[in-house]
Amino acid sequence: MSYSGPGPEPSHPRRSPLRRPLTVAVAALAAGGLLGWGVYAAVGGGDEGRAASAAPSGGAASPDDDAKRPAGSSPSPGTKSPSPSASGPLKGKVVVIDPGHNPGNFQHASEINRQVDIGTHRKECDTTGTATNAGWPEAEFTLDVAHRLRTLLQEQGATVKLTQDGDRPYGPCVDERARIGNEARADAAISIHADGSGAGNRGFHVILPGAVHGGGADTRPIVAPSAELGERVAGNFLRTTGSAPSNYLGDGTGLVTRTDLGGLNLSTVPKVFIECGNMRDDKDVALLTSGTWRQKAAQGMSEGIVSFLRG
């Protein structure tokens, strides 16, 4: 997901009195969860994953072998996903996982370029997302991590729904992605991405919905619970992966607020985006292409969601 596009966010910070800047150590995050995380309404701009320029065939690493065999993944799109555990702390809870983009979007330019209403304005149905310099697409990364996360949450008893599982030719559009979570009455929803920023820009960040009230969008009821969800995901992601918060967005907090993303604007359930790293930075790519690291990433997301849903 790249940030080169219209609609920049205000650069002034929006801080809640319940949140402080990120000054605690990883150990404190493990013990105290989210109390050390602050929210920063950083410059957003961009879209929900603007297509990167054609990726060169050389450069950064390609994903290791288990990229195509993620834990909990289906051998083929039609294979039935695992069932939730009969018992567990998340029994009765519904989680929607939104794997950003779709591997087939590249072949459906006209369909994904059509405009949809996201409340504040109109924008593309979807985009191709970015890719590593070696050509591994963001859409493959997001689906891999989504499968891993699904398995972990189902082991905790949750009912899990994916917005897409490589089982459709393109999309869904950003408005439909939000609608899937709304219609499922999800207790929590998370959209998984990787960024396409410049080399040297590193780290993860979690995107929180800002207050939007216009057109078909009204995020006001979900701003506070989404912020809590995002803080818990960010804290646990840092702890499990050891990855640092973004050095180019979020003022070092790993948290960014945006009002230009349809997947957040149109959501009526608590929802966040996570940008797991930068696919155009070699050091981040070494992590993103590692199956071991991706499992840690899914674990961090899972623990954050479990923490949020258990209260």
Side-chain angles (χ1 to χ4, degrees), residues 24-284:
V24 293
V26 173
L29 279 171
L34 281 301
L35 296 180
W37 285 88
V39 176
Y40 181 81
V43 175
D47 55 19
E48 294 176 89
R50 183 165 301 281
S53 58
S57 59
S62 297
D64 51 19
D65 288 343
D66 64 351
K68 297 183 179 178
R69 296 188 298 275
S73 66
S74 303
S76 64
T79 302
K80 186 178 180 181
S81 65
S83 299
S85 171
S87 62
L90 298 189
K91 183 179 180 180
K93 299 293 185 180
V94 177
V95 179
V96 169
I97 303 173
D98 179 26
H101 314 292
N102 183 316
N105 281 358
F106 285 98
Q107 300 175 335
H108 294 272
S110 61
E111 290 90 344
I112 67 169
N113 283 330
R114 72 179 181 85
Q115 300 284 298
V116 299
D117 186 359
I118 66 165
T120 55
H121 59 286
R122 298 181 69 83
K123 69 187 305 183
E124 296 89 349
C125 155
D126 199 5
T127 61
T128 60
T130 188
T132 66
N133 290 331
W136 191 44
E138 179 187 357
E140 295 286 353
F141 168 82
T142 64
L143 195 56
D144 177 277
V145 176
H147 288 158
R148 297 171 188 268
L149 177 58
R150 176 177 63 188
T151 295
L152 293 169
L153 291 171
Q154 287 178 330
E155 289 172 351
Q156 296 293 313
T159 298
V160 181
K161 182 176 181 64
L162 271 61
T163 59
Q164 59 94 10
D165 197 7
D167 51 357
R168 53 189 296 164
Y170 66 91
C173 295
V174 295
D175 55 344
E176 184 182 353
R177 290 173 185 269
R179 187 163 59 250
I180 290 169
N182 299 344
E183 292 178 350
R185 297 184 179 180
D187 297 285
I190 186 167
S191 187
I192 302 172
H193 289 266
D195 206 359
S197 187
N201 291 340
R202 298 196 59 202
F204 75 91
H205 61 278
V206 176
I207 304 174
L208 315 175
V212 171
H213 185 212
D218 186 0
T219 62
R220 293 173 297 176
I222 68 161
V223 166
S226 296
E228 181 183 354
L229 171 62
E231 290 170 350
R232 291 179 184 268
V233 168
N236 283 279
F237 191 89
L238 184 153
R239 179 177 57 80
T240 59
T241 66
S243 294
S246 170
N247 65 4
Y248 61 102
L249 286 172
D251 198 28
T253 66
L255 297 170
V256 173
T257 300
R258 291 178 64 174
T259 59
D260 63 321
L261 300 178
L264 295 180
N265 287 1
L266 299 174
S267 182
T268 60
V269 300
K271 184 175 182 180
V272 297
F273 278 41
I274 182 166
E275 297 279 2
C276 298
N278 178 15
M279 298 194 95
R280 292 309 180 97
D281 176 82
D282 287 349
K283 291 181 179 179
D284 268 10

Side-chain angles (χ1 to χ4, degrees), residues 88-90 93 156 228 232 303-311:
L90 298 189
K93 299 293 185 180
Q156 296 293 313
E228 181 183 354
R232 291 179 184 268
E303 291 180 9
I305 293 168
V306 171
S307 173
F308 169 74
L309 293 179
R310 297 190 70 181

